[in-house]
Amino acid sequence: EPPCPTGPLVLQVPTWPLLEGDTVTLRCRRWWDMSVTRVRFCREDEKVKKSFHGTELSLSPLQLHHSGCYHCGGWVNSGVSKGWHESAPVTVTVHGEHPHNSH
């Protein structure tokens, strides 16, 4: 069957609004249940974290400077798409706290 157009890796980001001070977890996942290792996360073109065991990146507490375009890459160990893959980019937007809630 034809490969998924976005590739075998997907970067999962919560769909709710992300607020300064929150905790958010980005997950680098396979579309199918096959293992992926040597995962790394990038914001813009800068490496955020290299993880040889985990597939998650936790940002806590969230800061405004965490906003940006993220993607993940990893080594897919099995299947027709064996090899290094990168996910499509996902935009993460961190919202500052509402001014009158900060007291």
Side-chain angles (χ1 to χ4, degrees), residues 1 8-10 28-37 39 53 55 74-83 85:
E1 51 189 78
L9 289 186
V10 58
C28 195
R29 298 286 302 276
R30 289 295 314 276
W31 279 113
W32 305 283
D33 193 21
M34 298 177 196
S35 66
V36 53
T37 55
V39 170
H53 304 292
T55 55
W75 187 264
V76 172
N77 294 315
S78 54
V80 289
S81 49
K82 185 170 175 162
H85 290 276

Side-chain angles (χ1 to χ4, degrees), residues 3-99:
C4 189
T6 51
L9 289 186
V10 58
L11 180 60
Q12 293 182 325
V13 176
T15 51
W16 56 84
L18 305 178
L19 300 176
E20 213 177 352
D22 283 358
T23 295
V24 67
T25 301
L26 310 185
R27 291 182 173 85
C28 195
R29 298 286 302 276
R30 289 295 314 276
W31 279 113
W32 305 283
D33 193 21
M34 298 177 196
S35 66
V36 53
T37 55
R38 302 207 304 225
V39 170
R40 72 170 188 221
F41 294 87
C42 299
R43 182 178 65 236
E44 313 299 342
D45 288 325
E46 139 204 1
K47 226 172 275 181
V48 183
K49 182 186 165 203
K50 199 192 279 187
S51 161
F52 286 90
H53 304 292
T55 55
E56 299 184 350
L57 171 67
S58 185
L59 300 177
S60 173
L62 268 182
Q63 308 287 331
L64 291 176
H65 69 79
H66 285 137
S67 295
C69 196
Y70 285 78
H71 72 273
C72 66
W75 187 264
V76 172
N77 294 315
S78 54
V80 289
S81 49
K82 185 170 175 162
W84 179 263
H85 290 276
E86 298 197 347
S87 73
V90 178
T91 299
V92 171
T93 304
V94 179
H95 302 276
E97 296 188 50
H98 212 275

